[in-house]
Every structure is written in structure tokens, then in C-alpha cells.
């Protein structure tokens, strides 16, 4: 994928006070922000208009703005990678554009034009190119967001919106290789329900998770395993990531049934595993099956997949029924091989037969 030469150029107002760059060995996640942001407005009847790149700064919002009352807000997440030759690459940004446009419908948010999304981000990242870190495992995290801005307290969709994109350097999620995490299996509260908004990257899905995640941490767990909202039995997501299991040599992931986010890393993982001719199944997996497979010794691996960490290995599933320790609490070969293959693609170390890299 290459940046179209005919893309309209978005006007840039450069900051007069660039921020100091943080040290690349202590970036963490989501703590630092680059100098500029992309902003685009939407007005009913006019569509999306006035795209501009401006210094990073606060937004002015009317206290009646509908995002603050009825939660019309959604976001995306992707990264820009520094390649070995110094160039910068995005990874499958068209998928984020497509997901944001698709999810917007369910939230009554007008879809953002997909080429404006991709070209706007490419231009923003090029403007802040010096913010793309180069230490191993680091990247520039990109956070596109849409909020409803109309000052109106009646309950209906807003007639005005702001799309903005901020970015910031982030570190490798696991500095010392894949570190297995301990996960709380939540039997009562749910992240999303089929027919709800779980398939959109709505801000509201994340607020639904916070209390449960906090209590999981109090129990010594790093994150939560989300089960389906009706039977509280079928596995859905883990933390903020899609869930994969290796059961008797088959890579298994729950199907996208409306309550699960259609992850781009999920799609990348499934595509690569199929390329390897590994058996792949998208099907329901119950906690009973997980326990039985564990008892039989066929539950070989469990891991989350997402943009932020790429792959996050589940070492233990903890619940009131006791711990299920997977692969002796160690990362398994499939998680490791997928992590290596995806990061090598993202950083330009392997050929890219599908054109997933968009080199700026
Ligand atoms: C991911 O795991 O990639 C996410 O979506 C995390 C993000 C909400 C910080």
C-alpha cells in the first residue's frame, strides 16, 4: 500500500513550542503525546470538513455536548513503526478505517471517509516523524477518536461531531519477552451482549470493563476473561483483546457474533495461521470445554491478541472453582511464533506478500 500522490494535502499549523522527547527505554503505554493532532469537523448537511493538523492541545467543548451525556464516542488504535532503513510504516490502516466506519453506524455516528482517515493519519505521522521511536519493540501509537459535540440535551444523535487523531511513542509491552499473565474468569458481569455495541470500538465498552478489571487486580490478576452475557459460559474476549486458544493442535477463537470486537490483530493471526496450514476454527468455546480440555491435557495455549501487546499469553485462568494453569504457566510455541511473525512483518523484517505495510 502506498500513499496516494493525489491525496489532498491537509493544512498544517506547526507548534511553536515542541515538547521534549521522553527516553525510549521507559516509554510505557499512553503516557506521552506527540506535538500535533489531526482534527476534522462534521456538520449535518455539510459532512466532514475542515481537516487540519494543529498543535496538540485541549479541545473546547460545550458542557451540554452530547458526548458528555449520552456517550456518543468511539475510537481506534493502530501504530506507526520505524523500519530498519529509517522509514516509517503503518500496518493495515485501511482495516482501522473500515472498522471505524462500520462501527459508527451502530452508534449513530456519521462514518468518516476511509481515505480521509488513512491519508490524514499518514500526513499526521509524517508531520511528527521525529516522534516515531526506533528502540526495539517501540512504536508511535495512533489514537483516532470521534466525539459528538452538539450542545443539546434531548436524547437523539448529535448533529455535529469532531474526529481527531492524537499519537504518542509507546514501549514494547513486554520488555523481556512474552510474560504470561493471570486472568480472572468473570462469571457475573459482562463486557457486551449480542445485539448491543460490543462489535464497535465504543468508549462505553471500556467503561463497562473498568470495575471488573480493578477487582481482578485486587485478586492478584492482571486482566479479565469475559464470558457471553446470556449463559455466562462461552469465552469471548480477554482484557481489551481478542481471545485465542490452542486445543489439540487447532487454533480456536470465538466467532464474531456481535458482542466481540473484530480485531485487526485477530484477523492477522487467523490469516497467518491459515498460511501455515495450521487448523483454525472460529467457533463457540465453553468454560466446560476449557476445563475438560485442561483435564485431558489438550488445552495447550491461551492468549490474547490486540494492537497494543500483539500477543499476551495467559498463564493462569483463576476463578472461584480454582486455577487452570496453561502450559505450566509458560508461553507456548504458537503464541511465540505468531508474535515473532507479526512483529517481523510490522517492522519490515519479513516480506509483505499481502501489502499490509503502508510505508510513508
Ligand atoms: C488493544 O489491546 O490493542 C487495545 O485495544 C488496547 C487499547 C484500548 C489501549
Amino acid at each position: 500500500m502506498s500513499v496516494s500522490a493525489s491525496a489532498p494535502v491537509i493544512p498544517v499549523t506547526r507548534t511553536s513550542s515542541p515538547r521534549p522527547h521522553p527516553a525510549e527505554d521507559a516509554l510505557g503505554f499512553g503516557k506521552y503525546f506527540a506535538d500535533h493532532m489531526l482534527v476534522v469537523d462534521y456538520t449535518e448537511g455539510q459532512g466532514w470538513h475542515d481537516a487540519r493538523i494543529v498543535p496538540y492541545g485541549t479541545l473546547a467543548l460545550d458542557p451540554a455536548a452530547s458526548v458528555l451525556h449520552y456517550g456518543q464516542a468511539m475510537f481506534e488504535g493502530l501504530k506507526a513503526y520505524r523500519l530498519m532503513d529509517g522509514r516509517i510504516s503503518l500496518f493495515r490502516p485501511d482495516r482501522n478505517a473500515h472498522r471505524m466506519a462500520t462501527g459508527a453506524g451502530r452508534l449513530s455516528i456519521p462514518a468518516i471517509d476511509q481515505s480521509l482517515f488513512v491519508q490524514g493519519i499518514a500526513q499526521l505521522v509524517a508531520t511528527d516523524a521525529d516522534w516515531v521511536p526506533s528502540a526495539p519493540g517501540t512504536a508511535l501509537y495512533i489514537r483516532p477518536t470521534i466525539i459528538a459535540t452538539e450542545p443539546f440535551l434531548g436524547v437523539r444523535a448529535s448533529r455535529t461531531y469532531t474526529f481527531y487523531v492524537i499519537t504518542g511513542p509507546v514501549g514494547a509491552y513486554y520488555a523481556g519477552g512474552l510474560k504470561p499473565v493471570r486472568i480472572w474468569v468473570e462469571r457475573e458481569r459482562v463486557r457486551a451482549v449480542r445485539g448491543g455495541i460490543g462489535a464497535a470500538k465504543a468508549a462505553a465498552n471500556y467503561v463497562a470493563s473498568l470495575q471488573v478489571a480493578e477487582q481482578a487486580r485486587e485478586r492478584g490478576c492482571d486482566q479479565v476473561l469475559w464470558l457471553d452475557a446470556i449463559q455466562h459460559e462461552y469465552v469471548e474476549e480477554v482484557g481489551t483483546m481478542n481471545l485465542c486458544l490452542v486445543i489439540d493442535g487447532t487454533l480456536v477463537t470465538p466467532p464474531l457474533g456481535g458482542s466481540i470486537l473484530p480485531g485487526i490483530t485477530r484477523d492477522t493471526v487467523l490469516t497467518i495461521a491459515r498460511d501455515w496450514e495450521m487448523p483454525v476454527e472460529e467457533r463457540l468455546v465453553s468454560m466446560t470445554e476449557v476445563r475438560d480440555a485442561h483435564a485431558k491435557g489438550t488445552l495447550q495455549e491461551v492468549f490474547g491478541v490486540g494492537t497494543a501487546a500483539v500477543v499476551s499469553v495467559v498463564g493462569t485462568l483463576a476463578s472461584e472453582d480454582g486455577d487452570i494453569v496453561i502450559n505450566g504457566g509458560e508461553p507456548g510455541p504458537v503464541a511465540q511464533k505468531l508474535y515473532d511473525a507479526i512483529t517481523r512483518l510490522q517492522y519490515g523484517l519479513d516480506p509483505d506478500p499481502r501489502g499490509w505495510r503502508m510505508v510513508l
Side-chain angles (χ1 to χ4, degrees):
M1 209 180 166
S2 66
V3 190
S4 158
S6 61
V9 175
I10 297 168
V12 181
T13 307
R14 286 195 173 268
T15 181
S16 52
S17 46
R19 300 149 185 245
H21 290 211
E24 289 195 6
D25 58 358
L27 291 173
F29 184 87
K31 293 192 292 180
Y32 302 104
F33 301 100
D35 281 329
H36 298 89
M37 60 185 188
L38 169 67
V39 184
V40 189
D41 297 316
Y42 177 91
T43 311
E44 195 174 78
Q46 223 182 322
W48 291 100
H49 59 90
D50 286 311
R52 58 210 182 266
I53 292 171
V54 294
Y56 183 102
T58 53
L59 300 170
L61 271 186
D62 192 291
S66 40
V67 65
L68 302 175
H69 301 269
Y70 309 125
Q72 261 189 301
M74 67 186 306
F75 66 91
E76 270 301 327
L78 66 160
K79 287 175 175 170
Y81 304 87
R82 179 75 67 183
L83 306 181
M84 292 300 278
D85 62 7
R87 290 184 302 164
I88 295 166
S89 173
L90 305 177
F91 189 69
R92 309 190 73 188
D94 54 314
R95 299 319 300 160
N96 296 90
H98 179 260
R99 183 171 66 182
M100 191 166 226
T102 311
R106 181 66 183 85
L107 306 177
S108 288
I109 291 174
I112 182 103
D113 178 76
Q114 294 183 41
S115 66
L116 174 60
F117 179 103
V118 173
Q119 299 300 337
I121 286 173
Q123 206 187 315
L124 176 66
V125 171
T127 303
D128 277 330
D130 61 332
W131 280 90
V132 182
S134 56
T138 62
L140 187 76
Y141 185 73
I142 302 165
R143 171 52 64 87
T145 309
I146 302 179
I147 54 170
T149 53
E150 187 185 357
F152 173 68
L153 293 185
V155 182
R156 61 152 171 76
S158 176
R159 290 173 182 153
T160 61
Y161 296 84
T162 296
F163 169 67
Y164 64 88
V165 185
I166 53 175
T167 72
V170 296
Y173 230 75
Y174 302 108
L178 297 178
K179 184 179 143 294
V181 293
R182 184 177 168 86
I183 296 294
W184 175 254
V185 182
E186 174 64 25
R187 283 271 178 191
E188 193 181 315
R189 290 160 296 180
V190 299
R191 174 192 166 274
V193 62
R194 187 179 285 227
I197 58 173
K201 212 164 167 68
N205 290 328
Y206 294 80
V207 75
S209 76
L210 300 179
Q211 182 199 37
V212 188
E214 224 165 85
Q215 290 173 358
R217 273 192 286 278
E218 286 163 12
R219 291 180 152 114
C221 293
D222 303 280
Q223 261 301 346
V224 178
L225 179 71
W226 300 104
L227 302 180
D228 79 279
I230 296 169
Q231 283 153 292
H232 301 272
E233 170 63 7
Y234 295 96
V235 300
E236 294 219 325
E237 293 194 16
V238 59
T240 60
M241 308 176 85
N242 290 116
L243 180 69
C244 290
L245 305 96
V246 181
I247 303 175
D248 206 10
T250 298
L251 181 67
V252 185
T253 192
L256 301 175
S259 56
I260 292 178
L261 189 80
I264 292 149
T265 310
R266 176 186 183 278
D267 182 76
T268 301
V269 160
L270 298 184
T271 306
I272 290 177
R274 287 183 175 121
D275 281 354
W276 291 340
E277 295 181 1
M278 181 174 182
V280 172
E281 289 175 7
E282 292 180 67
R283 63 166 175 83
L284 296 178
V285 180
S286 67
M287 274 310 291
T288 305
E289 178 181 351
V290 170
R291 284 188 192 287
D292 288 352
H294 181 249
K296 276 196 288 190
T298 53
L299 179 66
Q300 293 158 321
E301 299 187 37
V302 178
F303 48 91
V305 300
T307 299
V310 187
V311 169
S312 175
V313 173
V314 177
T316 304
L317 290 172
S319 71
E320 269 124 21
D321 306 329
D323 284 3
I324 299 175
V325 178
I326 301 132
N327 195 39
E330 294 300 318
V334 176
Q336 186 68 57
K337 197 173 160 203
L338 283 165
Y339 176 82
D340 292 344
I342 294 171
T343 51
R344 288 184 65 81
L345 254 178
Q346 289 169 333
Y347 287 95
L349 299 170
D350 276 347
D352 177 27
R354 291 194 158 77
W356 282 346
R357 288 193 289 264
M358 177 182 174
V359 180
L360 304 187

